[in-house]
Amino acid sequence: MPEAASAQSVRATIGDSEFDRDTAVTRRASGVYDTELSAGWTVINAVNGGYLLAVLGRALADALPHSDPFSVSAHYLTASRPGPAVIRTEVVRTGRSLSTGTASLFQYDDEGQEVERIRVLASYGDLGALPDDVRTTAAPPAMPPMDQCFGPQDAPAPVPGGSAIADRLLLKLDPATLGWALGAPSGKGEMRSWFGLADGRDTDPLALLLAVDALPPTAFEIGLSGWVPTVELTVHVRCRPAPGPLRVSITTRNLAGGFLEEDAEVWDSADRLVAQSRQLASVRLA
Amino acid sequence: MPEAASAQSVRATIGDSEFDRDTAVTRRASGVYDTELSAGWTVINAVNGGYLLAVLGRALADALPHSDPFSVSAHYLTASRPGPAVIRTEVVRTGRSLSTGTASLFQYDDEGQEVERIRVLASYGDLGALPDDVRTTAAPPAMPPMDQCFGPQDAPAPVPGGSAIADRLLLKLDPATLGWALGAPSGKGEMRSWFGLADGRDTDPLALLLAVDALPPTAFEIGLSGWVPTVELTVHVRCRPAPGPLRVSITTRNLAGGFLEEDAEVWDSADRLVAQSRQLASVRLA
């Protein structure tokens, strides 16, 4: 077998990958889904918010007549834990080009009480049906090629915040936004990284829900350490990503009153702005 | 009576103004509110999306234990009309510092069927309880003083898109973003304006929900005309606004596939970034 074909054959594919297995949902009844939150997508002990959004996004893709997330708003209520969870969806409206629904993820607490972890409100459509006009003025982030960027695997010692999720992602951060890892944060609320799935699976709209919340928090480069829990995260998926690595740029401009916003842009290998997101997060000032 | 006191006395106040009367809700039962959508906040025949958000926001302020909107996500389902409406709220979670709830606005269609117009998911808190740290890098929009800006009242002929809402707002647009009104759009997706309520009522967090969707669409300056219906709008209220006029800056960077995002920043007279929002809107390309 030629080497190229061989290399190709070991790459995971959409539908058969860690990400697909770990975001799988099983319909138990109309609108109700069982899932198992994997410990493989945790940061320290917290389940990553983008991974959770992808799990909920997959349930909504099944519950709604449209399969692509266009606008997904998530409010994070209580901290999710690896293990079983139930997702309950409601179809709010079905239209010709857009459908809207809600999804809630529940887990049992130590007392056996069902606790809601996340509530999502989302509109879905068909990205393939959109016209191909592009009149964007946004430009891809200026960042070095991937081989001049650095990921958790390149660190001499474990990176602060390095965690199980690091094994599942291909993250290569722009060295200009890596000061925090060397004890010298730039003071600017910027983080830029190449992004992919470690097993080589190409990205798709569901994976974009993961990509927008996969980088270390901008707060690290501002010079804050510690936990920056997401209160709310809204993602707009604007285009189906082309195969190949993505570039993700996140920016914080307004840290005030114990909260900050984190804006993400995701660009694909064809230089299309494929997703935009904003989250409101709470910060604990030192 | 001294002139200053006399001038003061004719200004509407928070709680006694057009905006308060037209966003009033009456609790019919636990979590259920009656309201009357006013024809005074329409653009052409459409009820303004920010006004609708303020109505829903007022119902949630009553339904939740916290009174200030922190993050409000609205999905616009069908076109609202002036007239009676019912709002149903659900308390999702109540916490010490944040509470989360949903609100849905319904009207009857011509066949007497109840139709949902808007679904909102929101987290509320207490802006007065936030620490007063400000480490923002965002800067207020550069724009001329109000007396060098222009509103609908300054137009020699009715402005396209000028409507009932124009009588209730103090909008003074930066002439640099007014090319569209003179038939010469700049091609840039930017719009900047001074903002206030015409009767002199100061703004508050509820009025910020109106402010983020009150300007003419950025699409006009891009050179598009026609309707730009909002699919989804998320607002983060970051600070209680100081008295005095606000400055609102809206920006569109990515017009593609028949959709655009519109980002708003709202600054108060004390140079605080008091609200940030993003909406996803659908465009009809000529």
Side-chain angles (χ1 to χ4, degrees), chain A residues 15-30:
Chain A
D16 181 18
S17 72
E18 281 182 314
F19 176 73
D20 295 293
R21 284 188 292 278
D22 290 347
T23 57
V25 299
T26 306
R27 180 157 42 175
R28 180 206 293 183
S30 176

Side-chain angles (χ1 to χ4, degrees), chain A residues 232 236 238 253 259 265, chain B residues 232 236 238 253 259 265:
Chain A
E232 180 268 336
H236 296 170
R238 304 295 302 274
R253 299 170 65 244
F259 287 86
E265 284 191 0
Chain B
E232 180 267 335
H236 296 169
R238 303 294 302 273
R253 299 170 65 244
F259 287 87
E265 284 191 359

Side-chain angles (χ1 to χ4, degrees), chain A residues 43-188:
Chain A
V43 181
I44 317 291
N45 293 315
V47 183
N48 172 262
Y51 162 70
L52 292 166
L53 202 54
V55 173
L56 286 152
R58 195 180 287 283
L60 277 168
D62 186 83
L64 293 171
H66 295 95
S67 58
D68 294 326
F70 272 41
S71 175
V72 182
S73 302
H75 287 241
Y76 292 80
L77 308 170
T78 57
S80 301
R81 304 168 183 182
V86 176
I87 298 168
R88 296 201 176 84
T89 61
E90 179 205 356
V91 177
V92 173
R93 176 178 178 266
T94 60
R96 190 178 50 82
S97 57
L98 287 175
S99 299
T100 302
T102 67
S104 297
L105 187 140
F106 297 89
Q107 293 188 306
Y108 287 103
D109 67 13
D110 294 336
E111 283 76 46
Q113 298 292 316
E114 206 173 54
V115 178
E116 186 167 353
R117 301 301 193 201
I118 312 170
R119 176 72 63 103
V120 165
L121 175 59
S123 291
Y124 274 54
D126 178 1
L127 288 169
L130 298 185
D132 57 5
D133 64 287
V134 179
R135 295 172 63 175
T136 189
T137 57
M143 53 190 287
M146 201 187 301
D147 61 7
Q148 294 168 33
C149 292
F150 300 94
Q153 295 79 4
D154 303 311
V159 174
S163 290
I165 195 172
D167 296 332
R168 275 153 200 88
L169 300 179
L170 172 78
L171 279 187
K172 291 284 183 183
L173 280 83
D174 183 340
T177 67
L178 256 178
W180 60 276
L182 306 169
S186 69
K188 292 186 218 168

Side-chain angles (χ1 to χ4, degrees), chain A residues 70-78 90-93 98 100 102 116 119-123 130-139 187-189 222-224 231-232 234 236-238 252-261 263-265 267 272-274 276-280 283 285, chain B residues 70-78 90-93 98 100 102 116 119-123 130-139 187-189 222-224 231-232 234 236-238 252-261 263-265 267 272-274 276-280 283 285:
Chain A
F70 272 41
S71 175
V72 182
S73 302
H75 287 241
Y76 292 80
L77 308 170
T78 57
E90 179 205 356
V91 177
V92 173
R93 176 178 178 266
L98 287 175
T100 302
T102 67
E116 186 167 353
R119 176 72 63 103
V120 165
L121 175 59
S123 291
L130 298 185
D132 57 5
D133 64 287
V134 179
R135 295 172 63 175
T136 189
T137 57
K188 292 186 218 168
I222 296 175
L224 305 173
V231 173
E232 180 268 336
T234 295
H236 296 170
V237 176
R238 304 295 302 274
T252 294
R253 299 170 65 244
N254 191 41
L255 165 59
F259 287 86
L260 56 76
E261 94 288 0
D263 287 355
E265 284 191 0
W267 293 80
R272 281 290 301 269
L273 179 48
V274 293
Q276 293 168 290
S277 77
R278 174 173 290 161
Q279 67 173 268
L280 183 68
V283 290
L285 295 176
Chain B
F70 273 41
S71 174
V72 182
S73 302
H75 288 241
Y76 292 80
L77 308 170
T78 56
E90 178 204 357
V91 177
V92 173
R93 175 178 179 268
L98 287 175
T100 302
T102 67
E116 187 168 352
R119 176 72 63 104
V120 165
L121 175 58
S123 291
L130 298 185
D132 58 5
D133 63 288
V134 179
R135 296 173 61 175
T136 189
T137 57
K188 292 188 219 167
I222 296 176
L224 305 172
V231 173
E232 180 267 335
T234 295
H236 296 169
V237 175
R238 303 294 302 273
T252 293
R253 299 170 65 244
N254 191 41
L255 164 59
F259 287 87
L260 56 76
E261 95 287 0
D263 287 355
E265 284 191 359
W267 293 79
R272 282 291 302 269
L273 179 50
V274 293
Q276 292 169 291
S277 77
R278 174 174 290 161
Q279 67 172 269
L280 182 68
V283 288
L285 295 176

